[in-house]
Amino acid sequence: MTDSASTLDDWLTASPGMVRQAVSEGGRVVEQVELAQATYRLRIAAPQLSRRIRPGQFFMLRFPQRDDPLLGRPFALYDVARDAAAQPVAIDFVYHVVGKTTGLLSRAAMGDAVEVWGPLGNGFPVVSVEHLICVGGGIGYTPFLAVAREAAGQGTYGLPLRRWAAPPRRITLCYGVRTRAQRADLADFAGIPGLDVRLATDDGSEGRRGFVTDLLRELLDAPAQSRAVFCCGPEPMMHATARLCAAQQVPCWLSLESPMACGFGACFSCVTKVRTDEPPGWDYRRTCVEGPVFAAHTLALESDGGG
């Protein structure tokens, strides 16, 4: 750990309400694969951090020796890569090129140095249900590879290792994009026991024509099992998912994609509204600390838009 990271750790430890479990590690790019149009999977060797991360948590990434951009950017766990002894040695991130940092990442070459800070946030909970439904829109499908592998007993994550006491009998990934050209390569999801992948495209070029929430509605309207929904993606889609689940009284958790500056709770740039029992009935919580995963019923969601 660098001297600056040690100083930051000391400050966080002395600062109530700040992240204290995160650490910094200098990583190296070991693989870069294009999954879809302007969408990549980046693998960074970071043995210490790859053992700590849990599905739904995220890291802040930045390039050392650069001051533009000066701050790191948040990237959710896609999965960990393991060595021959099944020990985590690297972290996989999936990202879509939308700005300066992701543009730099897309040009990263083997051996390039990347600073990795985390793990941050709370991640998805372990739930005891017969049917786990994951709903992802656009790049929002990326947290669910690790979620599905953990729920199916195909992988373990975090320290201490986390296991599902009663794995779901059925896991469904509902994945939606605008058009087939933007669909990610879902080959990594193949071979997960009990996983069913369902696709929707806005233009009908692949899978069902319509919104990903149309797929969810069909599942929720089917004969009832004990179910839970995990969701990540565009805000209107998540709001629509939360409404569908509330109407069916199905527990739902949303992974918010709020813009973040620091990642450890100091700047309050990523706050979201939550419901409270105190007047005026709502307050703010930091997505980087109290989130990014929130139980949908706790959020004071603004009115919606499409699904």
Side-chain angles (χ1 to χ4, degrees):
M1 186 181 297
T2 65
D3 290 342
S4 60
S6 298
T7 301
L8 180 57
D9 284 345
D10 292 341
W11 178 77
L12 292 173
T13 300
S15 303
M18 302 302 170
V19 173
R20 291 182 292 277
Q21 80 279 12
V23 297
S24 177
E25 185 172 0
R28 295 279 176 181
V29 174
V30 295
E31 191 174 69
Q32 176 109 257
V33 178
E34 187 172 11
L35 299 180
Q37 188 178 70
T39 300
Y40 298 85
R41 175 175 60 77
L42 180 71
R43 179 167 294 173
I44 298 175
Q48 181 184 190
L49 296 183
S50 63
R51 293 192 296 268
R52 299 168 66 96
I53 185 72
R54 293 178 174 178
Q57 290 185 300
F58 68 96
F59 289 103
M60 301 294 287
L61 304 184
R62 70 178 299 273
F63 289 96
Q65 313 306 320
R66 291 190 66 99
D67 57 10
D68 183 22
L70 176 63
L71 300 175
R73 294 293 185 268
F75 293 86
L77 172 71
Y78 181 60
D79 202 6
V80 298
R82 304 173 190 269
D83 61 16
Q87 295 301 308
V89 293
I91 308 161
D92 286 348
F93 303 98
V94 170
Y95 64 94
H96 188 73
V97 178
V98 293
K100 182 170 291 186
T101 297
T102 50
L104 290 170
L105 284 175
S106 71
R107 297 189 292 274
M110 289 276 292
D112 284 357
V114 182
E115 291 181 359
V116 188
W117 165 260
L120 301 165
N122 58 359
F124 288 100
V126 170
V127 294
S128 181
V129 293
E130 293 179 334
H131 188 189
L132 175 64
I133 304 170
C134 299
V135 181
I139 199 69
Y141 79 97
T142 56
F144 298 130
L145 179 64
V147 166
R149 284 182 169 164
E150 185 183 55
Q154 198 178 63
T156 54
Y157 300 83
L159 287 176
L161 291 178
R162 193 173 76 160
R163 290 182 173 86
W164 292 48
R169 296 180 181 177
R170 183 182 176 194
I171 307 169
T172 301
L173 171 64
C174 297
Y175 173 50
V177 288
R178 291 181 179 177
T179 184
R180 181 178 182 175
Q182 297 178 342
R183 181 178 77 80
D185 181 353
L186 301 178
D188 290 334
F189 288 83
I192 298 177
L195 176 64
D196 173 32
V197 177
R198 303 190 179 193
L199 302 177
T201 53
D202 292 359
D203 63 2
S205 54
E206 186 171 6
R208 179 191 173 115
R209 183 186 184 95
F211 294 133
V212 68
T213 45
D214 295 330
L215 299 174
L216 175 62
R217 184 180 293 107
E218 290 179 351
L219 291 172
L220 295 182
D221 286 343
Q225 296 174 302
S226 59
R227 297 167 290 195
V229 173
F230 294 169
C231 180
C232 182
E235 189 171 301
M237 182 212 75
M238 290 199 290
H239 291 188
T241 295
R243 292 195 306 274
L244 287 171
C245 291
Q248 297 272 13
Q249 297 184 324
V250 172
C252 175
W253 285 264
L254 308 179
S255 179
L256 305 188
E257 297 181 326
S258 304
M260 299 177 189
C262 73
F264 53 81
C267 69
F268 285 78
S269 68
C270 64
V271 293
T272 189
K273 281 185 176 182
V274 298
R275 302 179 191 276
T276 69
D277 295 329
E278 302 290 332
W282 60 271
D283 201 350
Y284 287 116
R285 295 291 182 270
R286 296 162 297 177
T287 301
C288 66
V289 176
E290 287 86 12
V293 178
F294 291 88
H297 72 274
T298 69
L299 294 174
L301 298 175
E302 306 294 342
S303 74
D304 44 25

